[in-house]
């Protein structure tokens, strides 16, 4: 074999081809290394930092354990009642600011907890705390609607009030004449 | 390289290896004296094969490195690779957390409190939803009507009233992400922004997503959408940020009748596993082979 041939005039096109392959391949590797994030593929085929970013999202909804730290009597009242599965936030709102105030009041006794706001009658906006003596909160679940399971205690309001002989039919807290919110005896 | 040199050698044998002979020829194609035809064809063959090798090696550089595939997580692109080391993989992952979800259509009362909770928790824009509740009404005349439960938080508001006498049976069906084991949405993502967390939760990388909406089309359950505020694909994550802090997802927290049960599939003592073992459950669109981790109690055939 004659090595001179490799560098002869005949092989000029081949040398160009080899050069293009090497340069193109190297360029492709470079572009690829620039486009793939550094932490890609640590745990699997994804960017590892994305997990931490998604985990860092703050929790908005409060859980009952936060409320029951102070309101200890409610847990007892509720545990044996049909409302055992009902959470605080269903009737009292999310109460995020209330928890901030209560935490501050625990540390500094001079800080007073502001009273609960009046409910505007909408669940979509009730992110803060309110005291519920409003039949709308009861009826938001207990109104009879087609599709509810038969085992769920739901009523037709007018019929129920008439049946029970309620006096102030239009009163907001008419439910609480007979029922107690935390343990509604039936 | 050996191949290339052999070809060159053949060419040399044909046309002669000395320069004088080549000069006589003038140019290479008009090499009349020597056998020209085999030379031209072998060069053509060589160029064919060389360009194949060149293109092949070039395209190899565009493939992921083998290191990317050597991960603990089973690659969603490569279901065939699973059986080979399936045994060792399950053994390795025995201490890992896998989450599951159970929806009880016999308990749901359709107040829609879960919908508000999800929107507040995850800042979902109006007009889009990560979870929703459908009402199936089977009329006595055989027709089935499907309503969407509104997000007012009040039972029965904004849905057309139906006379109970006309209805055979009716029930509410909450819908959310099925967190499939073989998720079609994950497989189609062109930038690896759709991925599976180590706990088996399908997530979207917010910095990586390009909003092409391919995954939105791929999802057989319709749980994905393009968030108009971020431009990214958005979906139910089973509140990944909450469950990592040992809290329950927002919709589970907000359900007053325990129709939604969240728990660990890997823990035999969890409430989820006990309920799954005790009652017959089914999944949505089982024939698609997506293996959802969202199970339904008492799901009728009409629910898809």
């Amino acid at each position: 074999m004659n090595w001179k041939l490799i560098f002869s005039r005949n092989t000029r096109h081949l040398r160009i081809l080899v050069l293009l392959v090497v340069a193109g391949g190297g360029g492709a590797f470079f572009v690829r290394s620039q486009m793939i994030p550094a932490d890609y593929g640590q745990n699997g085929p994804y960017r590892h930092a994305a997990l931490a970013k998604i985990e860092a999202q703050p929790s908005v909804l409060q859980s009952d354990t936060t409320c029951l730290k102070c309101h200890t009597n409610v847990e007892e009242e509720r545990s044996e009642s049909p409302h055992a599965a009902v959470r605080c936030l269903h009737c009292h709102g999310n109460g995020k600011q209330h928890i901030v105030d209560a935490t501050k009041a625990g540390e500094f006794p001079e800080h007073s907890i502001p009273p609960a706001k009046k409910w505007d009658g909408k669940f979509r906006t009730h992110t803060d705390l309110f005291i519920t003596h409003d039949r709308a909160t009861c009826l938001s679940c207990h109104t009879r609607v087609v599709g509810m399971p038969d085992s769920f205690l739901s009523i037709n309001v007018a019929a129920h009030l008439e049946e029970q002989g309620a006096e102030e039919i239009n009163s907001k807290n008419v439910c609480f004449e007979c029922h107690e919110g935390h343990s509604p005896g039936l | 390289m050996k191949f290339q040199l052999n070809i060159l050698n053949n060419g040399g044998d044909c046309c002669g290896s000395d320069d004088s002979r080549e000069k006589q020829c003038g140019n290479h194609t008009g090499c009349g004296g020597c056998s020209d035809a085999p030379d031209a064809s072998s060069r053509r063959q060589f160029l064919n094969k060389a360009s194949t090798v060149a293109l092949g090696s070039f395209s190899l550089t565009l493939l992921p490195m083998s290191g990317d595939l050597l991960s603990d997580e089973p690659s969603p692109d490569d279901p065939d690779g699973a059986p080979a080391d399936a045994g060792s993989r399950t053994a390795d992952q025995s201490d890992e957390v896998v989450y599951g979800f159970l929806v009880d259509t016999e308990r749901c009362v359709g107040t829609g409190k879960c919908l508000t909770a999800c929107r507040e928790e995850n800042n979902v824009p109006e007009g889009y939803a990560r979870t929703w509740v459908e009402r199936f009404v089977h009329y006595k005349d055989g027709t089935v009507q499907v309503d969407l439960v509104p997000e007012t938080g009040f039972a029965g508001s904004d849905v057309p009233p139906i006379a109970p006498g006309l209805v055979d049976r009716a029930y509410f069906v909450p819908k959310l992400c099925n967190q499939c084991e073989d998720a079609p949405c994950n497989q189609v993502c062109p930038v690896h922004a759709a991925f599976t967390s180590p706990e088996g939760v399908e997530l979207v990388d917010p910095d990586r997503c390009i909003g092409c909406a391919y995954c939105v089309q791929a999802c057989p359950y319709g749980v994905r959408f393009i968030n108009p505020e971020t431009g990214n694909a958005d979906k139910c994550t089973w509140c990944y940020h909450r469950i990592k802090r040992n809290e329950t997802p927002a919709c589970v927290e907000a359900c007053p009748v325990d129709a939604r049960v969240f728990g660990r599939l890997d823990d035999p003592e969890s409430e989820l596993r006990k309920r799954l073992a005790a009652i017959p459950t089914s999944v949505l669109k089982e024939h698609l082979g997506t293996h959802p981790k969202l199970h339904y109690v008492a799901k009728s055939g009409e629910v898809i």
Side-chain angles (χ1 to χ4, degrees):
Chain A
M1 192 188 74
N2 195 334
W3 286 96
K4 276 184 186 171
L5 255 182
I6 299 175
F7 303 101
S8 75
R9 210 163 57 89
N10 300 354
T11 58
R12 195 168 64 95
H13 286 77
L14 294 180
R15 292 200 301 271
I16 291 173
L17 188 67
V18 168
L19 197 73
L20 280 175
V21 167
V22 170
F29 266 111
F30 177 75
V31 169
R32 186 177 175 278
S33 68
Q34 293 298 303
M35 289 179 78
I36 294 178
D39 54 348
Y40 179 86
Q42 269 184 26
N43 280 13
Y46 60 90
R47 212 169 56 87
H48 187 64
L51 270 184
K53 183 165 183 180
I54 295 168
E55 274 176 43
Q57 186 185 337
S59 300
V60 176
L61 236 63
Q62 304 296 332
S63 71
D64 280 10
T65 45
T66 318
C67 311
L68 297 175
K69 275 181 197 165
C70 301
H71 302 276
T72 45
N73 59 323
V74 177
E75 191 172 16
E76 280 175 39
E77 288 175 33
R78 208 177 49 175
S79 58
E80 295 296 318
S81 81
H83 274 181
V86 179
R87 318 297 205 282
C88 304
L89 62 92
H90 291 140
C91 305
H92 297 291
N94 199 12
K96 198 169 188 186
Q97 187 57 41
H98 176 74
I99 292 167
V100 173
D101 289 328
T103 314
K104 210 185 265 181
E107 290 171 20
F108 310 103
E110 69 275 10
H111 185 88
S112 63
I113 303 171
K117 285 176 192 162
K118 203 165 180 285
W119 184 38
D120 65 357
K122 289 178 189 161
F123 285 107
R124 291 294 298 276
T125 51
H126 91 209
T127 49
D128 213 345
L129 179 91
F130 58 86
I131 303 285
T132 338
H133 270 274
D134 193 326
R135 70 180 190 184
T137 43
C138 308
L139 293 175
S140 73
C141 294
H142 290 286
T143 306
R144 185 77 203 161
V145 179
V146 169
M148 281 181 175
D150 295 332
S151 57
F152 184 71
L153 287 164
S154 50
I155 55 163
N156 180 311
V157 194
H160 179 74
L161 289 179
E162 194 183 336
E163 192 184 309
Q164 301 298 322
E167 287 170 4
E168 298 173 44
I169 286 176
N170 293 323
S171 161
K172 269 194 169 184
N173 55 3
V174 64
C175 303
F176 302 94
E177 285 177 13
C178 302
H179 304 282
E180 208 280 312
H182 290 149
S183 54
L186 297 164
Chain B
M1 230 32 207
K2 192 183 172 193
F3 172 75
Q4 184 180 348
L5 286 172
N6 279 341
I7 296 291
L8 282 174
N9 218 2
N10 285 344
D13 287 345
C14 163
C15 276
S17 54
D18 54 335
D19 289 340
S20 60
R21 184 92 179 268
E22 199 177 338
K23 273 170 193 163
Q24 283 172 5
C25 288
N27 62 29
H28 214 66
T29 49
C31 188
C34 54
S35 54
D36 184 41
D39 173 48
S41 71
S42 67
R43 179 173 297 142
R44 193 172 297 128
Q45 272 178 7
F46 165 71
L47 284 174
N48 273 340
K49 289 181 177 171
S51 54
T52 310
V53 170
L55 280 174
S57 59
F58 190 77
S59 60
L60 270 178
T61 62
L62 302 175
L63 283 175
M65 296 286 243
S66 59
D68 295 347
L69 303 173
L70 296 175
S71 56
D72 293 332
E73 190 63 24
S75 168
D77 310 337
D78 187 23
D80 298 330
D85 54 345
S88 62
R89 182 175 291 148
T90 45
D92 290 342
Q93 293 195 332
S94 58
D95 56 335
E96 282 188 17
V97 179
V98 180
Y99 292 118
F101 209 111
L102 181 71
V103 167
D104 194 339
T105 57
E106 285 180 333
R107 288 198 190 190
C108 181
V109 295
T111 59
K113 294 189 188 303
C114 46
L115 311 175
T116 317
C118 177
R119 194 173 293 283
E120 277 177 25
E121 178 73 32
N122 296 301
N123 200 18
V124 180
E126 292 287 333
Y128 299 84
R130 289 183 174 196
T131 179
W132 66 98
V133 179
E134 293 166 0
R135 180 174 70 167
F136 284 72
V137 183
H138 295 246
Y139 285 101
K140 284 209 162 76
D141 61 3
T143 54
V144 181
Q145 175 187 325
V146 185
D147 300 321
L148 196 63
V149 170
E151 292 186 26
T152 53
F154 290 98
S157 68
D158 289 354
V159 286
I162 297 169
L166 295 175
V167 178
D168 263 341
R169 62 196 178 103
Y171 46 88
F172 294 98
V173 181
K175 295 271 182 79
L176 65 158
C177 180
N178 286 256
Q179 310 292 3
C180 312
E181 272 175 42
D182 296 316
C185 56
N186 192 323
Q187 292 167 24
V188 299
C189 183
V191 292
H192 285 266
F195 66 97
T196 314
S197 84
E199 298 85 5
V201 180
E202 297 293 331
L203 299 171
V204 178
D205 183 343
D207 298 334
R208 194 87 179 128
C209 179
I210 54 173
C212 70
Y214 200 171
C215 56
V216 178
Q217 293 191 30
C219 176
Y221 306 100
V223 300
R224 283 175 174 257
F225 58 92
I226 297 294
N227 189 322
E229 287 171 8
T230 60
N232 291 339
D234 203 334
K235 70 182 284 293
C236 164
T237 61
W238 286 2
C239 285
Y240 188 73
H241 57 290
R242 290 177 67 91
I243 60 182
K244 288 295 278 185
R245 295 168 196 148
N246 286 328
E247 298 170 359
T248 53
C251 57
V252 178
E253 189 69 44
C255 183
V257 289
D258 277 344
R260 293 173 182 247
V261 183
F262 174 80
R264 285 174 59 170
L265 279 175
D266 58 310
D267 179 10
E269 296 303 310
S270 68
E271 198 204 335
L272 179 74
R273 275 283 291 272
K274 283 176 182 166
R275 283 183 73 168
L276 280 176
I279 37 180
T281 60
S282 54
V283 295
L284 297 179
K285 297 184 183 175
E286 192 177 6
H287 61 283
L288 294 180
T290 53
H291 303 116
K293 291 195 280 289
L294 167 65
H295 299 263
Y296 282 86
V297 177
K299 182 182 80 65
S300 293
E302 289 80 6
V303 181
I304 49 169

